Amino acid sequence: MATASPSSISFFSSSIFLSAPNPSPKTLHFPHRHQRLRAAAIHAELATVPVLSFDGNQVGSTTLNLKSAPPETARAVVHRGITTDLTNRRRGTASTLTRAEVRGGGQKPYPQKKTGRARRGSQRTPLRPGGGVIFGPKPKDWSIKINRKEKRLAISTAISSALQSTIVVEDFDDKFEKPKTREFIALMKRLGLDPKKKSTFLMTEVSDNVRLSSRNLGTLKMLTPRTLNLFDILDAENLILTKGAVDFLNGRYGFDDDDEDEFEDEG
């Protein structure tokens, strides 16, 4: 199993957010966008990860060459990426009625005077049951924007921080002739994984038999390039990649010379 470099950061659970106790506001300061991207584009996490077969035996090795933010800004970049994802999940459909929108209440409940009670003009006042709500929630768009390069940098930084818990396995779509949860648990044990711990599989394609075999495991997430997200990467204790997924990550989030030349010219 490959060993992460000393500058890499740990997982969400270990953690990227708990590594610095009582961080000062300067630690969480977000640098300017161009400064962030220029500093991160010239930094790469190069790691050699062993490749395991379906039987759990090592059959070779592969290389992950991903962009990674420098340690002083990695915490802020990943934090911004995860808060953006979680905020954009909010549907913003909560809605309440004000006293002007509640049905009824047009008739005065009782006379203004000679009752000994406080004057009341409507039964739909916020002070009565069934009345309107004061300053209640209304439908709202909670979505916020994040730059595409910054989001990709957050994902690649999170994956780079998980190198100590990353396993690469050969494609096993054709190994499951029929859905069987027991066989998938046996596969995880051969790979040295605990089915009771959170694991995230990243595959280029998920066949029906693999999907049906793994869906009964509540601690398991099956991701594809289309569903890859920062939260499931940080929330897992183990990250399992197929060889096709490694090629995808190196192509989408990898480090190349063109990026370095681009930011050198900009600087």
Side-chain angles (χ1 to χ4, degrees), residues 80-92 141-145:
R80 175 169 164 77
I82 189 64
T83 53
T84 301
D85 286 349
L86 295 180
T87 303
N88 290 340
R89 289 185 183 183
R90 300 186 65 172
R91 300 180 62 184
D141 182 12
W142 290 95
S143 62
I144 57 178
K145 180 182 178 297

Side-chain angles (χ1 to χ4, degrees), residues 7 9 39-40 43 45 67-75 77 153 156-157:
S7 61
I9 43 186
H43 181 69
E45 289 289 343
K67 297 177 184 177
S68 181
E72 59 271 12
T73 59
R75 180 187 177 95
V77 170
L153 179 62
S156 60
T157 301

